[in-house]
Amino acid sequence: MPIDTPSPADRADGAREMHAAFELEDFKRMMDALTMCIILHDAESKSILWANPSACSVLGFTLEELLPLKAPDMSRHSHEYRREIGRQWLHGAVLHGSNVIEWCYRAKNGEEILSEATATLVKLAHQDVIMVQFRDIAREEQIKREMKRLESRLKEFMQDSDEGVAVLRGDGGIEYVSDAGRKLLGVRPGQQTPASFSDLCEPASRDELLELLTLALPDAISFPIRYQIVLKNGQRRWHQASCRYIEIENDLKGHLLHFRDVTDQVEAEDARRRNQAALEYLARHNAMGEMATAIAHELSQPLAAIRNFLEGAMLRLNSEDIERESVLWGLGNAGRQVDHAAAIIKSVREYVVKLEQTETLVNLNETLNEVRYFIELKAAESQVRLELAPSADKLMVSCEKVLIGQVILNLAFNAIEEMSRFPVALRSIRISSEQAGNTALVRVTDHGGGLEAGHRERLFDGFFSSKVSGNGIGLALCKNIIARHRGDIWAQPAEPRGTSFCFALPLVKNDN
C-alpha cells in the first residue's frame, strides 16, 4: 500500500495542535530540566521573580531564600560587582534586548562562581521580565590564564634563544618567523620581515632548500639541512636547520624550520681542514731532510767512483800506448756506478711523486717494503742493525700510502736516533707487521733506554719531547695521521729493555 505523506498544511496544523496541547505546567517542567542556570528579574524593579533548580543548586539557596536577595547578597564583594553595576547591566538588556557581562556570583556557602551571564528581555503577557542565563567559566578563565602565562614564559625563554623558528611555504615564502629567527635573519626591531626565506639564501643553498620544501614529509620526519644566507648588510652566515612538514588545523600549514647560526663552527671546520692539509703537507715532507742527508751520503760513493773511472779512462786515452780493454773496463765500471746512482734517485722519485696520493686500498706490507730502502740508508749511516719482519699474510687497509709510510719512517728514524746513543754492538731495531684481531698492527721496537711512565701519557701531544733538541712534532703528526685513518697509536715498554711504538689500522675485507 502506498504510504500517505503529510502535506505542508497538514504538518502546520499538527504543530498548532501540539502547541495547543502544551500546558503551562509542561513549560515549567522543561525550564526545571534545563542544566543552564536561569534567574528571572522584573524588568522594571530588577527584583528576582524566579530561578530554575539549576540556579538554586549552584548558588545553594532555595527559591524562597533567593527571591528577596539583592546583588550584594549574591555577588563577590568587589568594586566591579557592586549593585549599581548589576542594575546597569540588567537595564542595558531592557534598552537593547540583550546584554552580556562577566559576573562573579557568591553562593550561600561563600564560594565564588565566575560566570558569563547573558541578560535577555522577554515580554510576557502580563509583564516584561529579564531572563538571566549564566554558566561557570572559572575553569575556562583558569585555562586562559595558564595559556597566557605559558605564552609569556615561552616568549621570555625564547627572547634570548639562539635558535630561530619559521614556517615556510613550498615556494620559500615565510608564513611565520619567531623573534629569535628575525635576529638570525638580520631583521632589526621595527623592520619588515622578508617575504621570502629562500631569496636570502646563496644560489646553491637556495636550490637545496627549495627542493626540500617540495616534499610533504610524512609522519613528522625531520630532515637536516645546512645553508648559507646573505644578510642585508652583505654579511654571509651559515645556518644548521631541521625541517619537517606540519599541518595545524585552521592555523598553519607548511614546513617547520628550526635553525641556528653555525658560522663560527663552519669557519672552525674550515680552519681545521686547512690545518689538516698543512699538517699533512708537513708530514709528507717531514723526513725529506733526513732522507736527503742519507741519500747524499749514499750518492757520494758512486759519484766519486764514476769520477775516478772517468779520470782513469781519460789518462789512458791521452797516453801514447792506448789499452782498449782497460779503457772499456773503466767506462764499464763508470756506467755501473751511474746505474747505482740512478737506482737511488729512482727510489726517491717514486716516493716523492706520490705526495698528493689519495686514500686507496693497499697491502700494508707493501708500504713497509717501499720505505725500507730509506730506513736501511739511515740505519747504515748510524751503524744500527735493522730487522724487518713483515706479516706472511696480506694486511689490506684503506689509507693514503705515503702518509702511512711517513709514520713508519718517523717511528723508525726516531728508533735509529735513540740507538745511536748506545755502543755499536747494542744498536739494533726491529720493525714488524701482523694481524691483531680486526686490525693491522705495525710495531717499531728499539732496545734503548725506554720511557718513563709519565712520559708515555704525553708522548703524542704536540711539542712534547724527551730529547734535548727535539720539539716532538713528529709524534704529534703521527698521531694526527693515524687518527685520520681511523686507527690508534701508542707506545709501550719493550723486553728486555727499550720501547715499542705501535700503530693499528682497521683491516678491510679483500675478496681478491
Side-chain angles (χ1 to χ4, degrees):
M1 286 182 64
I3 299 175
D4 293 334
T5 303
S7 67
D10 292 339
R11 286 197 298 269
D13 291 341
R16 282 192 292 270
E17 290 175 2
M18 183 175 289
H19 178 72
F22 282 132
E23 301 292 340
L24 180 60
E25 190 65 26
D26 295 325
F27 284 102
K28 183 177 184 303
R29 289 194 186 98
M30 286 188 281
M31 293 292 288
D32 289 345
L34 287 175
T35 57
M36 173 72 76
C37 299
I38 296 176
I39 299 177
L40 292 183
H41 294 261
D42 181 73
E44 184 175 349
S45 67
K46 311 301 187 291
S47 299
I48 296 175
L49 300 176
W50 176 81
N52 72 342
S54 292
C56 294
S57 175
V58 167
L59 296 175
F61 295 104
T62 64
L63 181 59
E64 290 72 19
E65 292 173 329
L66 195 61
L67 292 178
L69 297 182
K70 305 299 181 185
D73 302 322
M74 48 188 296
S75 301
R76 175 191 286 178
H77 296 313
S78 181
H79 182 73
E80 63 267 33
Y81 302 116
R82 63 190 186 276
R83 184 181 183 188
E84 52 268 32
I85 297 296
R87 290 183 65 86
Q88 288 175 9
W89 159 56
L90 294 174
H91 190 63
V94 175
L95 296 177
H96 306 293
S98 180
N99 202 8
V100 180
I101 195 172
E102 183 182 289
W103 195 264
C104 189
Y105 287 98
R106 181 165 51 84
K108 184 178 181 180
N109 62 4
E111 180 184 354
E112 294 180 344
I113 307 159
L114 185 63
S115 305
E116 180 186 71
T118 302
T120 305
L121 178 65
V122 180
K123 294 182 178 294
L124 301 180
H126 302 292
Q127 68 181 115
D128 294 346
V129 298
I130 302 170
M131 182 173 64
V132 174
Q133 306 171 70
F134 67 92
R135 61 186 182 88
D136 189 343
I137 61 169
R139 178 61 180 166
E140 295 178 13
E141 290 301 312
Q142 181 182 359
I143 292 174
K144 287 180 182 178
R145 288 193 297 270
E146 290 292 335
M147 292 296 292
K148 189 173 182 180
R149 184 161 56 248
L150 179 60
E151 182 180 3
S152 299
R153 286 180 180 178
L154 287 175
K155 285 184 177 180
E156 192 65 31
F157 294 160
M158 295 182 66
Q159 184 67 31
D160 300 317
S161 172
D162 60 355
E163 182 173 276
V165 178
V167 178
L168 307 182
R169 298 189 298 272
D171 60 359
I174 297 176
E175 285 286 337
Y176 166 81
V177 63
S178 66
D179 291 341
R182 286 169 53 87
K183 291 180 183 178
L184 291 174
L185 298 178
V187 181
R188 296 179 179 177
Q191 290 183 334
Q192 186 175 1
T193 302
S196 173
F197 195 98
S198 58
D199 287 349
L200 298 174
C201 298
E202 287 281 17
S205 298
R206 183 184 308 133
D207 294 341
E208 185 180 359
L209 178 63
L210 289 175
E211 182 180 358
L212 185 58
L213 295 181
T214 60
L215 304 175
L217 308 174
D219 301 326
I221 294 176
S222 179
F223 273 81
I225 184 174
R226 179 180 286 189
Y227 54 86
Q228 189 178 28
I229 66 167
V230 182
L231 305 184
K232 287 185 177 181
N233 60 7
Q235 187 180 13
R236 284 170 168 76
R237 307 294 294 179
W238 282 97
H239 288 174
Q240 181 74 36
S242 63
C243 180
R244 65 184 179 91
Y245 185 76
I246 62 168
E247 285 190 26
I248 302 176
E249 187 177 357
N250 300 323
D251 192 2
L252 286 174
K253 177 181 178 181
H255 284 75
L256 179 65
L257 200 71
H258 288 266
F259 58 100
R260 57 190 178 89
D261 192 306
V262 292
T263 304
D264 292 342
Q265 178 182 332
V266 171
E267 290 177 350
E269 290 173 357
D270 290 341
R272 280 195 296 271
R273 280 192 291 269
R274 289 192 297 270
N275 289 339
Q276 180 75 26
L279 285 172
E280 290 180 3
Y281 178 84
L282 186 59
R284 291 185 178 102
H285 296 82
N286 187 46
M288 293 302 291
E290 295 183 62
M291 289 166 56
T293 301
I295 291 167
H297 174 75
E298 188 74 6
L299 284 174
S300 65
Q301 295 177 357
L303 289 176
I306 291 170
R307 182 180 180 86
N308 290 335
F309 286 126
L310 289 178
E311 287 179 349
M314 290 176 64
L315 288 173
R316 288 177 174 82
L317 288 173
N318 289 328
S319 66
E320 294 181 358
D321 186 13
I322 300 175
E323 296 181 6
R324 176 182 173 84
E325 290 76 9
S326 63
V327 172
L328 291 174
W329 178 83
L331 292 176
N333 281 329
R336 282 188 288 274
Q337 293 298 323
V338 169
D339 291 339
H340 184 197
I344 296 172
I345 294 171
K346 181 182 178 182
S347 297
V348 177
R349 184 181 62 194
E350 287 179 350
Y351 184 80
V352 172
V353 295
K354 299 174 183 175
L355 290 181
E356 299 305 325
Q357 180 178 325
T358 57
E359 189 169 315
T360 56
L361 186 64
V362 299
N363 181 357
L364 195 56
N365 290 325
E366 293 178 358
T367 304
L368 180 59
N369 189 56
E370 286 184 0
V371 298
R372 174 176 184 163
Y373 177 76
F374 304 107
I375 298 173
E376 288 175 341
L377 289 181
K378 182 73 173 177
E381 179 186 352
S382 300
Q383 296 181 287
V384 174
R385 292 186 303 280
L386 173 64
E387 179 187 356
L388 287 173
S391 170
D393 300 321
K394 288 184 177 181
L395 301 175
M396 304 305 296
V397 296
S398 177
C399 69
E400 187 171 345
K401 185 159 49 174
V402 171
L403 289 179
I404 298 303
Q406 176 62 60
V407 172
I408 298 173
L409 283 173
N410 202 326
L411 298 180
F413 287 178
N414 284 349
I416 292 170
E417 184 178 349
E418 168 67 13
M419 294 311 304
S420 65
R421 301 188 297 112
F422 291 82
V424 174
L426 300 178
R427 296 178 187 177
S428 66
I429 67 169
R430 186 176 190 271
I431 303 176
S432 63
S433 63
E434 61 185 277
Q435 181 174 344
N438 295 323
T439 66
L441 175 65
V442 174
R443 194 187 311 269
V444 179
T445 303
D446 64 58
H447 302 289
L451 293 167
E452 296 179 12
H455 286 176
R456 287 201 300 272
E457 301 297 326
R458 299 186 294 125
L459 260 181
F460 298 95
D461 294 342
F463 307 107
F464 170 81
S465 177
S466 60
K467 296 180 288 188
V468 174
S469 60
N471 63 7
I473 194 64
L475 292 179
L477 283 173
C478 291
K479 179 180 179 180
N480 186 285
I481 293 169
I482 296 301
R484 186 164 94 73
H485 286 80
R486 304 161 296 282
D488 193 15
I489 186 168
W490 68 95
Q492 62 189 41
E495 294 295 338
R497 67 177 189 279
T499 306
S500 288
F501 284 85
C502 313
F503 70 85
L505 298 176
L507 284 169
V508 177
K509 184 178 180 181
N510 184 28
D511 297 328
N512 296 330

